[in-house]
Amino acid sequence: MTTLSPENSLSARQSASFILVKRKPPIDKTEWDGFFDESGHLAKSRDFICVNILERGLHPFMRTEAWKFLTGYYSWQSSQDERLVVDSTRRKSYEALCQLYEKIQPLLENLHRNFIETRNTIAYDIQKLYDKDPLGNVLIDKKRLEKILLLSYGRCARGLEYQRGCHEMVMLFQPMVGHDHETFWLFQFFLKKMEHGCVINIGVGKNLDMLNSLINFLDPVFAEHLKGKGAGAVQSLFPWFCLYSQRGFKFFDDFRRLWEVLLMEKPCRNFQVLVAYSMLQMVQESMTGDDILLACNNLIDLDAAELVSAACTVYAELVQKDVPQPLQNFFL
């Protein structure tokens, strides 16, 4: 058993403190610009900015620029001039990749046994996407989205392969940015950042194992209750760990609000498990096993700010306890 340091404990309390006060407005352009000096270098610390994003979120109009920092598309140490060079380089690299893909596509079809199957899977996934908002406004261009996914698969064919649900992840970026090269590279940096995180390598099984361990540690009574309902109670969150599906949220903006927190890895790594724990707490203890399964599978109209607040409270509770090593390794 290991006790976390007072510094970590204080950080956790600060991370959760915003649920106790009136919610502040999200960070707008004026405030974001104030985080940088005249040359475009950071005038505030990265931690200061991340804590503010955690507590308040970003105004939707600010995500285009801010997410480039959160994903690693831009370096936090870069100047404005250096970022202009990065944009130009990324655009040229994307154009070169498109030209190469056009040339080698026949070879991929003939030599790569999974290419055609993957292309069909991507096309099927894309067609299922909701491409319009409730007012009928087009949210995404499905053809452009399909091209970006195919290029990503072709680029990563030697290692990371296409996973069901990646099409929803690209939707995090395409409606935000104006150019395909930005969408493509944001997605590549997103995949790289998540490689050792919640979706890519750790996988659903590891997340569910840690969720079980977390329930046993923080709420043994509830853990016993769930055991009495059968394995399906926690397993019912399987789709959540696969996709963090946008369909569970009240608004698409909530989907992005949660992901901007996960991208920061604040207040901790694998924060999605604490969010899932908070979701499971919504389920009434009086429910039967089948009712729990149904309730988890039909979670809708989720509010991302409320989930983040609840998960920060769980984290604050966690770091003030004697935490078993597996949990500490996973979250800290």
Side-chain angles (χ1 to χ4, degrees):
M1 305 287 279
T2 304
T3 303
L4 299 182
S5 68
E7 291 80 7
N8 280 336
S9 187
L10 175 61
S11 175
R13 290 195 295 273
Q14 290 173 336
S15 296
S17 64
F18 70 99
I19 69 171
L20 304 176
V21 297
K22 184 178 180 181
R23 190 178 299 168
K24 296 179 182 179
I27 298 167
D28 60 16
K29 178 172 174 53
T30 300
E31 188 172 2
W32 177 265
D33 289 344
F35 295 154
F36 300 84
D37 63 22
E38 292 182 357
S39 68
H41 285 103
L42 280 182
K44 299 287 186 180
S45 71
R46 176 180 175 180
D47 281 346
F48 174 87
I49 296 172
C50 288
V51 167
N52 272 274
I53 293 174
L54 172 67
E55 294 182 350
R56 299 162 52 199
L58 291 158
H59 189 283
F61 293 155
M62 280 314 306
R63 289 198 174 111
T64 299
E65 181 174 356
W67 278 40
K68 289 182 178 180
F69 288 92
L70 297 182
T71 58
Y73 180 105
Y74 287 153
S75 166
W76 287 95
Q77 286 75 44
S78 62
S79 67
Q80 179 62 35
D81 288 343
E82 288 169 336
R83 293 193 285 275
L84 290 174
V85 172
V86 166
D87 280 328
S88 176
T89 302
R90 303 250 188 264
R91 177 180 55 77
K92 292 176 182 177
S93 296
Y94 178 75
E95 291 171 352
L97 184 62
C98 288
Q99 293 173 4
L100 177 62
Y101 177 77
E102 292 297 326
K103 293 178 180 179
I104 68 171
Q105 183 177 347
L107 291 175
L108 288 173
E109 292 174 352
N110 291 327
L111 300 178
H112 203 299
R113 62 181 182 178
N114 293 328
F115 178 79
I116 295 178
E117 179 182 349
T118 299
R119 185 175 60 187
N120 292 339
T121 300
I122 290 173
Y124 177 76
D125 284 347
I126 292 293
Q127 289 307 310
K128 292 191 300 180
L129 282 173
Y130 298 107
D131 59 348
K132 296 181 181 178
D133 66 15
L135 298 178
N137 300 311
V138 176
L139 292 172
I140 57 170
D141 184 319
K142 290 185 175 181
K143 285 294 183 183
R144 290 167 59 195
L145 201 65
E146 184 175 346
K147 178 181 179 181
I148 288 167
L149 284 168
L150 282 170
L151 286 172
S152 298
Y153 171 72
R155 183 172 180 267
C156 301
R158 295 187 302 273
L160 176 68
E161 294 191 357
Y162 176 74
Q163 295 188 30
R164 303 300 295 268
C166 280
H167 63 299
E168 295 201 26
M169 297 298 100
V170 180
M171 276 191 67
L172 286 167
F173 307 109
Q174 192 195 56
M176 279 199 310
V177 295
H179 303 285
D180 284 354
H181 75 272
E182 293 176 300
T183 303
F184 175 81
W185 286 114
L186 278 168
F187 184 54
Q188 304 314 302
F189 279 95
F190 167 83
L191 291 176
K192 182 178 179 181
K193 195 173 185 69
M194 293 295 106
E195 183 178 4
H196 301 293
C198 45
V199 176
I200 308 302
N201 279 345
I202 285 181
V204 175
K206 184 66 172 179
N207 278 278
L208 290 172
D209 287 344
M210 284 298 113
L211 178 59
N212 267 313
S213 298
L214 188 66
I215 296 168
N216 286 323
F217 178 65
L218 289 180
D219 197 345
V221 174
F222 188 51
E224 286 300 317
H225 173 77
L226 290 177
K227 287 178 183 177
K229 306 303 179 186
V234 174
Q235 292 291 328
S236 60
L237 285 173
F238 185 97
W240 164 257
F241 286 123
C242 287
L243 309 176
Y244 304 156
S245 177
Q246 58 167 305
R247 288 181 289 274
F249 292 95
K250 192 171 186 177
F251 301 106
F252 193 78
D253 188 62
D254 284 278
F255 189 50
R256 289 203 181 98
R257 168 66 177 126
L258 177 63
W259 269 107
E260 70 193 12
V261 173
L262 297 177
L263 283 169
M264 292 188 301
E265 298 184 320
K266 298 285 186 181
C268 66
R269 294 180 292 112
N270 299 303
F271 188 65
Q272 74 285 345
V273 176
L274 303 187
V275 174
Y277 176 85
S278 301
M279 291 167 64
L280 199 54
Q281 295 295 299
M282 297 175 185
V283 178
Q284 297 295 322
E285 291 194 12
S286 59
M287 287 185 176
T288 65
D290 289 342
D291 289 338
I292 291 174
L293 184 65
L294 184 63
C296 288
N297 285 335
N298 290 286
L299 285 170
I300 58 173
D301 291 343
L302 294 171
D303 184 301
E306 291 178 1
L307 280 175
V308 170
S309 296
C312 281
T313 302
V314 174
Y315 178 68
E317 179 185 359
L318 184 66
V319 297
Q320 296 184 58
K321 294 179 178 290
D322 291 332
V323 183
Q325 198 65 44
L327 285 176
Q328 187 167 136
N329 291 340
F330 193 71
F331 292 114
L332 304 168

